[in-house]
Structures are given as structure tokens and as C-alpha cells.
């Protein structure tokens, strides 16, 4: 598994929760040359890709290409996998390609023939599978317990529960405050 910096993990976790996995806006603390360095490294590793920005809709833009077009940043499947979020298509688009985004409609775009969402199952042995197993255990799990088991930071745990489990897998995560343990999260047993 690829080692990510805290900033890279934060960018990918935020993108995982946004429509179409848009990586913008970047964290407030990341500006100028530091932003360019972090984004450049993530583009080189294939965690982010540049896609044409729809300037008419006023979407977030990373940079201008000089010919009146804008470019935005999107997390790739490889980037999401780096934070433990599995996607339908495990083959990431090569970094820097914009063609992959134009070949098919954007996620959430009505096509007239809406199909039921595909059931996704995590691969065995992944951190996502560990998270699901912990949440399905009779006692559930706290954020701290999940952090210890996965090595994730708290924002990544919350992002995985909200993004991968709820939005992608359609699982309903519940929580309750338990006197001795604090807030405990659970998934209904299958």
C-alpha cells in the first residue's frame, strides 16, 4: 500500500465525499507553491487527474490552460484505493488524461435509462473490509478502535463511513453513545 502524507490523505478523503470525486477546493492551509508541489506529486502517482472544467457552470478550477479552457482535479480510482475506498472500476485512468471523462456521462447525470445501483463488495483483507467487519461485530466500534486497526486518521475513518459505506455500498451506519466507550458505530448484520 502506498504511503500518503497527511495532506494527500486529506485531499483524497474530501474528494471521496464530493460528487464526481472532485478534489477542489484544496485544504485552506495549502497555498501557492506548496499546493503545486503536493498536486504535482499526486498527479505523478496517478492519485489525481486533470479534467476539463466546465467554466459555464462555474465549477472549481485548478488552472487555466491558456487557450480559454480550465482544468479541474479529480481523484482517480487509484487515489481512492490509496485511502482504502474501493470503486467499481479498479483500473485507474492514467494521470493527465482527459479523454476518460468524456467517453461516458458524468456520475449522477440522467441518461434516460437509469439502472439500479450495482452492489459493490469490498475485497477481502482490505482496510475497508476490516472497517465493515468491525462495524458488524456485536459491540460495534469506536472511531479510536477503527483508527488503531486500520492506521487511518479520524477524518479518513469518517470519510470512509460516509463515502464508501453509505454512498458507494449503500450501507446504513448507525451510532449511539455508550456510557463507557463513547460514540459507537454499527452496521446491521447481514
Amino acid at each position: 500500500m502506498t504511503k500518503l502524507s497527511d495532506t494527500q490523505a486529506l485531499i483524497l478523503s474530501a474528494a471521496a465525499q464530493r460528487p464526481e470525486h472532485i478534489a477542489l477546493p484544496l485544504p485552506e492551509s495549502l497555498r501557492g507553491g506548496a499546493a503545486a508541489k503536493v498536486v504535482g506529486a499526486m498527479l505523478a502517482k496517478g492519485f489525481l487527474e486533470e479534467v476539463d472544467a466546465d467554466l459555464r457552470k462555474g465549477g472549481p478550477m485548478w488552472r487555466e490552460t491558456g487557450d480559454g479552457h480550465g482544468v479541474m482535479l479529480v481523484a482517480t480510482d487509484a487515489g481512492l484505493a490509496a485511502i482504502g475506498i474501493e470503486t467499481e472500476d479498479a483500473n485507474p485512468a492514467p494521470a493527465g488524461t482527459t479523454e476518460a471523462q468524456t467517453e461516458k456521462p458524468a456520475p449522477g447525470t440522467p441518461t434516460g435509462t437509469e439502472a439500479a445501483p450495482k452492489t459493490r463488495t469490498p475485497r477481502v483483507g482490505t482496510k475497508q473490509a476490516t472497517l465493515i467487519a468491525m462495524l458488524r461485530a456485536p459491540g460495534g466500534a469506536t472511531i479510536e478502535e477503527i483508527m488503531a486497526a486500520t492506521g487511518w486518521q479520524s477524518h479518513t475513518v469518517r470519510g470512509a463511513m460516509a463515502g464508501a459505506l453509505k454512498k458507494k455500498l449503500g450501507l446504513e451506519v448507525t451510532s449511539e453513545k455508550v456510557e463507557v466507550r463513547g460514540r459507537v458505530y454499527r452496521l446491521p448484520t447481514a
Side-chain angles (χ1 to χ4, degrees), residues 10 14 25 42 52-53 74 80 101 108 111 113-114 119-121 123 127 131 136 138 151 173 175 178 188:
L10 182 62
M42 294 177 77
D52 289 330
V74 177
L80 297 175
Q101 291 295 324
T111 60
T113 55
E114 297 300 315
T119 303
R120 300 176 188 174
T121 56
R123 292 181 309 192
K127 290 182 181 184
L131 171 63
R136 285 201 169 134
V173 179
S175 72
V178 175

Side-chain angles (χ1 to χ4, degrees), residues 128-179:
Q128 185 179 28
T130 301
L131 171 63
I132 290 171
M134 291 180 76
L135 295 176
R136 285 201 169 134
T142 65
I143 297 284
E144 292 75 19
E145 292 166 348
I146 297 167
M147 288 169 56
T150 61
W152 287 342
Q153 293 186 5
S154 62
H155 66 272
T156 307
V157 173
R158 288 184 181 90
M161 286 193 289
L165 301 188
K166 285 186 176 181
K167 291 180 182 173
K168 299 285 184 199
L169 297 174
L171 299 173
E172 193 59 40
V173 179
T174 61
S175 72
E176 68 176 305
K177 207 155 195 166
V178 175
E179 182 118 2

Side-chain angles (χ1 to χ4, degrees), residues 5-94:
S5 71
D6 291 344
T7 303
Q8 290 173 331
L10 182 62
I11 291 168
L12 292 170
S13 295
Q17 297 176 46
R18 293 188 187 117
E20 300 176 34
H21 304 298
I22 296 172
L24 299 172
L26 295 174
E28 297 248 347
S29 60
L30 194 60
R31 299 259 183 235
K37 186 175 180 181
V38 170
V39 169
M42 294 177 77
L43 288 167
K45 291 178 182 178
F47 295 155
L48 293 177
E49 67 180 340
E50 292 182 328
V51 298
D52 289 330
D54 189 351
L55 300 177
R56 294 165 297 178
K57 293 183 181 177
M61 188 172 61
W62 167 240
R63 64 180 180 87
E64 286 188 46
T65 59
D67 58 357
H69 290 90
V71 174
M72 59 195 242
L73 298 172
V74 177
T76 63
D77 290 343
L80 297 175
I83 59 170
I85 297 176
E86 301 302 321
T87 59
E88 276 182 32
D89 181 12
N91 300 321

